[in-house]
Every structure is written in C-alpha cells, then in structure tokens.
C-alpha cells in the first residue's frame, strides 16, 4: 500500500519531470521536483509560520497566565487553551509540514534506491502513460543514456563516505544541506539577548525556584537547533547523494519561503497595531467631544431658558 500510494506517485512525478526536461539530467530533475513540492506545500507552510509568529507575540500573555494560575496547572492549561482559541492557534499546527515531508522523503528514497540498484526500474516502475514518451522509448533501447549526475559533475548514485573514501562533490552537498537546515531552524528562533541557557534554568530549578515553561521551551529549542542538522548529516553522508541534493534544495526553498512569510506576517501585524492605535485615538477624540459638548449646551440652554422666562414675566 505504501509503495502504491506514496512511492510510485512520487517516483513517477520525478520521472515525468526528467522525461520532459531538456538534457534529461537527474540532478536538475530532483531540484525542480523539490521546488514543485515546496510550492504545493506553501499554504500549509504559511499557516505554520503565522502560528510561530503569533506564538512569539503572546509570550507576555502566557507569562501573565502563569502568574495568575499561581501553580494551579489545571487552571493554567484552561487559560492557555482559551488564549489559543481566542488567537486561532493550533498547538499541533507545526506538525503538518513534518507529516507531509516524511512520506515524501521516504518515497523519494525508495524510488531513487530502485534506480540506483537497477536503472531499468525507471521504465519498469513508471506508469504506462509515461513509457510512451520519446525519451523513455530511447532509454528502453539503450539504458546507458540514463544520466544520474548533477550537471555531469556530481555522481548522485555515490555517497559522500564509501569504500573508496570521501567523495568530495557529494560531501559538499551533504555539508550544505546540514548548514541550510541549521539556518532554517535559527530563522524561526526568537532573537532575544536576555534569553538564558537551559543549564542556568535547571540550576535555578534545583534551588527550588519554579521554572517558566515558555523560557524552558525556548532554551530547549536553542539547544536542539544543532540536533537536526547533525542528524541530517549522519543520515545523508552514507547514502546516495541524490537524497542529500533533495534536502539541500528543500532547505534553500524553505528559507526563502520563511523569509517571505515572516516578512508579510510582520507587515500585517504592524498594520493591525497601527489600525488599533488610530481607532483608539479616534475614540478618545469622539469621547472628548461628547463629554465637552453637553457642558456648552447646558450653559447655553440655561441662558436661553432664563431669558425666555424673563420675557414672559415682562409681558405679563
């Protein structure tokens, strides 16, 4: 079922791009495939990044809730859920992108493994409609025309570390994918010079002082931002560099998407804040006029009434 629903569609999308691409280069096909996948994920990515931005914004309110709860975890959780509901935050919203990325990564790895072990799989595992493409027909007659390189420079079937030692073209891709992943994680970290380290927070907790959960989460995030790049490096250094190329391209596109989404989100929030300030100022002006106006009217009306009454008395 996984092969039919995940691996084969991903494999055939890659084959379609490869067959239509001028030059028929696997490396360029993987780059275009990755860009297409990231663009299709854009609505989900934008929603996730908006929630990240809102979570940063409500940190002062979360601290206020913690003080208000005074150690009552049940009350604290209820107030936090009310705040999340009010601001439209889904605590598990950031998992969506990861849940989509994992099957794509596994499907691509499985499909590329098939081609590396047996190049004829590009024809055998493809959908019947793709086999009628002119380039696919040429491959069926001469499989040696199948280009498994990146611009004829990097052999994507080789790993960075192998029996022959270090393959430096692949190693550069692996190191690049780890560095891009580090920058991608750092891009989502709040920039605060006053943030304390996890060791310092735990040291205070040992003295009996209760730690702020939001501060702990931020410290854990800063401590583990090295973990995912290290895992990517260890995972991709021993397998075909084609997968490292996918991860590198995906990271670069993700950094660009995050920059755009966070910048747009900042502008929207600034517009909301300035709109709120204008509304508040306008309300204050209106209230001032409403308060001052009755005073003038009362004075004028009293004078008119008194003059009117005097006129009536004279007539009488």
């Amino acid at each position: 079922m996984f092969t039919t629903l995940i691996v084969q569609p991903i494999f055939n999308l890659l084959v379609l791009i490869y067959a239509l691409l001028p030059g028929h280069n696997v490396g360029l096909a993987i780059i275009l495939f990755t860009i297409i996948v990231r663009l299709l994920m854009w609505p989900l990515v934008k929603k996730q990044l908006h929630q990240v931005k809102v979570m940063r914004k409500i940190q002062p309110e979360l601290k206020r809730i913690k003080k208000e709860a005074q150690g009552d975890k049940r009350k604290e959780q209820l107030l936090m859920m009310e705040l999340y509901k009010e601001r439209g935050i889904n605590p598990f919203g950031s998992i969506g992108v990861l849940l989509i990325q994992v099957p794509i990564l596994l499907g691509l790895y499985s499909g590329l493994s098939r081609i590396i072990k047996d190049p004829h799989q590009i024809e055998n595992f493809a959908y019947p409609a793709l086999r009628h493409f002119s380039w696919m027909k040429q491959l069926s007659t001469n499989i040696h025309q199948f280009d498994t390189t990146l611009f004829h420079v990097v052999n994507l079937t080789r790993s960075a570390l192998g029996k022959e030692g270090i393959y430096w073209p692949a190693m550069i891709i692996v190191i690049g994918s780890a560095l891009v992943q580090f920058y991608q994680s750092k891009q989502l970290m709040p920039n605060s010079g006053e943030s304390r380290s996890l060791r310092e927070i735990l040291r205070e907790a040992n003295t009996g002082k209760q730690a702020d959960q939001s501060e702990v989460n931020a410290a854990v995030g800063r401590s583990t931002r090295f973990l995912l790049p290290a895992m990517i490096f260890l995972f991709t250094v021993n397998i075909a560099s084609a997968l490292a190329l996918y991860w590198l391209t995906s990271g670069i596109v993700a950094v660009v998407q995050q920059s755009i989404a966070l910048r747009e989100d900042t502008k929207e929030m600034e517009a909301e804040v300035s709109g709120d300030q204008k509304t508040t100022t306008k309300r204050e002006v209106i209230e001032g006029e409403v308060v001052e106006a009755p005073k003038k009217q009362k004075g004028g009306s009293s004078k008119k009434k008194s003059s009117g009454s005097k006129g009536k008395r004279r007539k009488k």
Side-chain angles (χ1 to χ4, degrees):
M1 187 179 292
F2 180 78
T3 302
T4 304
L5 298 179
I6 305 294
V7 179
Q8 200 166 10
I10 290 173
F11 178 85
N12 278 270
L13 176 58
L14 182 61
V15 170
L16 175 64
I17 296 169
Y18 169 75
L20 295 175
L21 194 66
H24 310 290
N25 183 259
V26 169
L28 186 56
I30 291 173
I31 292 172
L32 293 176
F33 168 84
T34 310
I35 293 172
I36 291 170
V37 169
R38 292 296 307 191
L39 289 176
L40 291 174
M41 291 170 58
W42 171 245
L44 187 61
V45 170
K46 192 173 181 180
K47 186 177 179 180
Q48 176 203 5
L49 293 174
H50 175 74
Q51 295 213 357
V52 170
K53 196 78 176 177
V54 175
M55 282 297 294
R56 288 187 195 175
K57 190 179 178 182
I58 66 170
Q59 288 306 310
E61 296 183 53
L62 292 175
K63 290 182 179 180
R64 178 186 57 78
I65 286 172
K66 188 173 183 65
K67 289 180 180 178
E68 187 179 337
Q70 295 179 350
D72 188 346
K73 294 296 181 183
R74 181 181 174 82
K75 183 180 178 181
E76 184 179 340
Q77 290 294 326
L78 288 173
L79 290 173
M80 284 175 61
M81 294 308 295
E82 286 179 8
L83 180 62
Y84 289 159
K85 187 177 180 181
E86 180 185 341
R87 297 299 181 92
I89 298 173
N90 181 7
F92 305 102
S94 59
I95 302 176
V97 177
L98 182 64
L99 291 178
I100 293 176
Q101 279 278 73
V102 170
I104 292 173
L105 188 65
L106 293 175
L108 186 63
Y109 173 72
S110 178
L112 291 173
S113 298
R114 287 172 177 268
I115 298 176
I116 292 167
K117 292 176 181 176
D118 181 13
H120 289 91
Q121 286 292 320
I122 193 171
E123 181 190 0
N124 300 334
F125 200 53
Y127 291 139
L130 296 181
R131 297 172 192 168
H132 297 291
F133 282 55
S134 59
W135 181 249
M136 298 295 287
K137 290 180 179 178
Q138 289 185 38
L139 288 180
S140 62
T141 57
N142 184 10
I143 197 62
H144 297 290
Q145 292 182 342
F146 181 50
D147 181 14
T148 58
T149 67
L150 173 62
F151 306 131
H152 308 288
V153 175
V154 185
N155 185 356
L156 296 176
T157 63
R158 290 186 60 181
S159 60
L161 285 180
K163 296 178 180 178
E164 301 175 359
I166 300 176
Y167 180 49
W168 283 108
M171 181 62 77
I172 291 171
I173 295 176
V174 171
I175 294 172
S177 63
L179 291 175
V180 168
Q181 181 59 52
F182 172 78
Y183 183 77
Q184 182 184 346
S185 302
K186 187 180 178 182
Q187 198 177 23
L188 298 177
M189 294 284 177
N191 297 323
S192 177
E194 300 178 358
S195 301
R196 298 186 300 165
S197 65
L198 184 61
R199 184 180 298 179
E200 188 178 348
I201 296 171
L202 294 175
R203 192 184 298 118
E204 282 191 1
N206 290 332
T207 61
K209 185 177 179 180
Q210 191 173 6
D212 186 357
Q213 189 60 43
S214 61
E215 194 176 21
V216 172
N217 292 340
V220 170
R222 289 192 303 273
S223 301
T224 57
R225 69 179 181 270
F226 300 98
L227 182 61
L228 187 55
M231 288 176 61
I232 290 172
F233 179 83
L234 294 173
F235 176 65
T236 57
V237 77
N238 293 310
I239 60 175
S241 54
L243 200 65
L245 178 63
Y246 164 79
W247 207 284
L248 174 63
T249 310
S250 179
I252 292 172
V253 178
V255 167
V256 174
Q257 286 181 327
Q258 287 177 182
S259 301
I260 295 171
L262 292 176
R263 186 170 62 249
E264 288 179 355
D265 222 32
T266 302
K267 289 181 180 178
E268 288 176 6
M269 288 184 176
E270 287 175 356
E272 288 177 6
V273 171
S274 61
D276 292 341
Q277 288 175 350
K278 288 179 181 178
T279 306
T280 306
T281 307
K282 190 175 180 182
R283 189 183 298 123
E284 288 174 355
V285 171
I286 292 170
E287 287 176 356
E289 290 178 354
V290 170
V291 171
E292 290 174 3
K295 290 180 181 178
K296 293 178 181 179
Q297 288 174 359
K298 282 180 182 178
S301 62
S302 60
K303 287 178 182 179
K304 287 179 182 179
K305 283 181 181 178
S306 60
S307 62
S309 60
K310 284 179 182 179
K312 286 180 181 179
R313 284 176 187 175
R314 284 176 184 174
K315 285 180 182 180
K316 285 180 181 179

